[in-house]
C-alpha cells in the first residue's frame, strides 16, 4: 500500500505476517487505522510503515494471542510500537495509539528545541545554576564565596575561624582602687577595667572565690618597647 500522490512523501505501508496468514480484510483495516495524513502532520519526513502480525500458539496466552508491531521509519529516529490482544484488530488499535503518542512526543520535542533561543554569555548565569561568570571581555570572573558568620558567646566566628573579636573604646577617668571595686559591683560584672589614679597604669580589678578581689596592673617594659621599635623601624627601612 502507498500513500496518496498528493502527500509530500510517497509512503509505503507494508503488512506482513510472521508464522501466520494476513487476510485482505485486515490489510484494509490497517490502511484505515493508520491515517497517513495525520501521521505526516506529526512527522512530515515519514518514509515507510511496517506492520507485522504474529500469533502466539500457547492456549494459555489466549488473551494475548495476537501481537502487532508497527515500525515507522523516517529521516529522523525509528519509532516502534507494539501491543498484544485476543485478536489482531484489537492489538492493532492499541499499537496505533502507542505509535501516535510517541510521534506526538517527538513532535513536541522538536518544536521545543526550535523555540529555544541561544543565550548570550551574560545571560547564562541567570539561567544555569553554578555557571561561570564572564566579564565584558569574555574573561572568567572569580567571585569570592560568601563565608557564613556564627556567634559563639560574645565572639563572632567567620567560617571555621579565626575569631573576630568585637572591639570597643571607652573614655575613662583615673580612679582609685576602692572606686573601681564600687563601679564593678554597680555594673554587676566579675571584672572592671580602669586607670589607677595613683600609678596612672591601666588596671583590672576582678572577683575571686568567695568575697576576695584581685587587681592586675599593666606596666610597659621599656627594653621590650625599644626592641620592638627598632625591629619595626628596621623592617620599614629595609
Amino acid at each position: 500500500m502507498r500513500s496518496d500522490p498528493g502527500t509530500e512523501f510517497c509512503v509505503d505501508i507494508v503488512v506482513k505476517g510472521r508464522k501466520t496468514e494476513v487476510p485482505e480484510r485486515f490489510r484494509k483495516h490497517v490502511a484505515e487505522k493508520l491515517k497517513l495524513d495525520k501521521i505526516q502532520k506529526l512527522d512530515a519526513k515519514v518514509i515507510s510503515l511496517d506492520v507485522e502480525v504474529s500469533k502466539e500458539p500457547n492456549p494459555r496466552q489466549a488473551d494475548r494471542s495476537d501481537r502487532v508491531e508497527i515500525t515507522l521509519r523516517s529521516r529522523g529516529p525509528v519509532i516502534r510500537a507494539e501491543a498484544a490482544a485476543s485478536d489482531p484488530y484489537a492489538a492493532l488499535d492499541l499499537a496505533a495509539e502507542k505509535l501516535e503518542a510517541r510521534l506526538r512526543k517527538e513532535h513536541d520535542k522538536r518544536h521545543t528545541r526550535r523555540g529555544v533561543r541561544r543565550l548570550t554569555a551574560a545571560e547564562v548565569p541567570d539561567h544555569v545554576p553554578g555557571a561561570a561568570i564572564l566579564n565584558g571581555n569574555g574573561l572568567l570572573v572569580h567571585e569570592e564565596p560568601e563565608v557564613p558568620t556564627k556567634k559563639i558567646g560574645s565572639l563572632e566566628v567567620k567560617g571555621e575561624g579565626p575569631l573576630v573579636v568585637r572591639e570597643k573604646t571607652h573614655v575613662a577617668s583615673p580612679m582609685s582602687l576602692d572606686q573601681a571595686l564600687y563601679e564593678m559591683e554597680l555594673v554587676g560584672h566579675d571584672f572592671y577595667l580602669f586607670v589607677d589614679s595613683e600609678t596612672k597604669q591601666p588596671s583590672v580589678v576582678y572577683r575571686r572565690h568567695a568575697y576576695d578581689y584581685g587587681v592586675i596592673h599593666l606596666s610597659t617594659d621599656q627594653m621590650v618597647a625599644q626592641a620592638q621599635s627598632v625591629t619595626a623601624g628596621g623592617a620599614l627601612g629595609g
Side-chain angles (χ1 to χ4, degrees):
M1 290 178 286
R2 303 177 71 87
S3 64
D4 297 333
T7 56
E8 183 179 356
F9 293 99
C10 189
V11 180
D12 292 324
I13 301 180
V14 179
V15 182
K16 58 185 177 180
R18 180 156 55 96
K19 297 181 179 180
T20 185
E21 293 292 331
V22 180
E24 188 62 28
R25 177 168 168 264
F26 182 80
R27 294 178 186 273
K28 291 180 180 180
H29 183 70
V30 169
E32 294 171 359
K33 189 66 181 179
L34 300 180
K35 298 185 181 300
L36 291 174
D37 56 342
K38 189 174 183 180
I39 291 175
Q40 287 182 319
K41 285 181 181 179
L42 297 174
D43 189 345
K45 299 179 181 180
V46 179
I47 298 173
S48 66
L49 277 168
D50 292 340
V51 180
E52 183 179 89
V53 184
S54 59
K55 189 85 172 177
E56 172 59 54
N58 189 347
R60 294 182 180 179
Q61 302 286 337
D63 58 336
R64 299 171 59 84
S65 60
D66 291 276
R67 177 175 295 275
V68 173
E69 179 179 319
I70 306 172
T71 303
L72 182 147
R73 292 179 173 84
S74 70
R75 295 186 182 181
V78 175
I79 299 176
R80 286 189 175 87
E82 62 178 308
S86 57
D87 64 80
Y89 295 92
L92 176 66
D93 292 347
L94 293 173
E97 290 177 4
K98 291 182 180 180
L99 179 71
E100 183 179 348
R102 290 170 187 174
L103 278 171
R104 287 189 182 280
K105 185 176 180 181
E106 287 295 322
H107 177 268
D108 294 342
K109 190 186 297 184
R110 289 194 301 270
H111 182 73
T112 302
R113 282 201 296 264
R114 290 194 195 103
V116 176
R117 65 180 182 86
R118 296 185 65 180
L119 300 176
T120 64
E123 293 175 317
V124 170
D126 296 331
H127 294 80
V128 183
I133 301 176
L134 304 178
N135 60 18
N137 298 323
L139 300 176
L140 185 63
V141 177
H142 297 281
E143 285 192 337
E144 292 294 332
E146 184 178 349
V147 180
T149 301
K150 59 184 177 181
K151 205 164 187 179
I152 301 178
S154 60
L155 301 178
E156 291 182 358
V157 180
K158 194 170 185 180
E160 298 299 327
L163 296 178
V164 179
V165 182
R166 295 176 61 189
E167 296 183 1
K168 290 185 179 180
T169 302
H170 295 276
V171 178
S173 301
M175 65 180 66
S176 65
L177 177 59
D178 291 341
Q179 181 66 25
L181 287 170
Y182 173 77
E183 294 290 343
M184 184 181 71
E185 294 292 345
L186 190 65
V187 296
H189 290 174
D190 292 329
F191 68 93
Y192 192 80
L193 177 65
F194 69 104
V195 177
D196 195 309
S197 57
E198 292 184 7
T199 64
K200 309 302 181 186
Q201 295 174 334
S203 305
V204 175
V205 63
Y206 61 94
R207 192 190 309 278
R208 300 184 65 191
H209 299 293
Y211 295 99
D212 293 339
Y213 298 97
V215 61
I216 299 174
H217 299 287
L218 297 180
S219 62
T220 303
D221 188 325
Q222 295 299 327
M223 293 182 65
V224 173
Q226 289 176 2
Q228 290 177 341
S229 178
V230 171
T231 305
L236 291 173

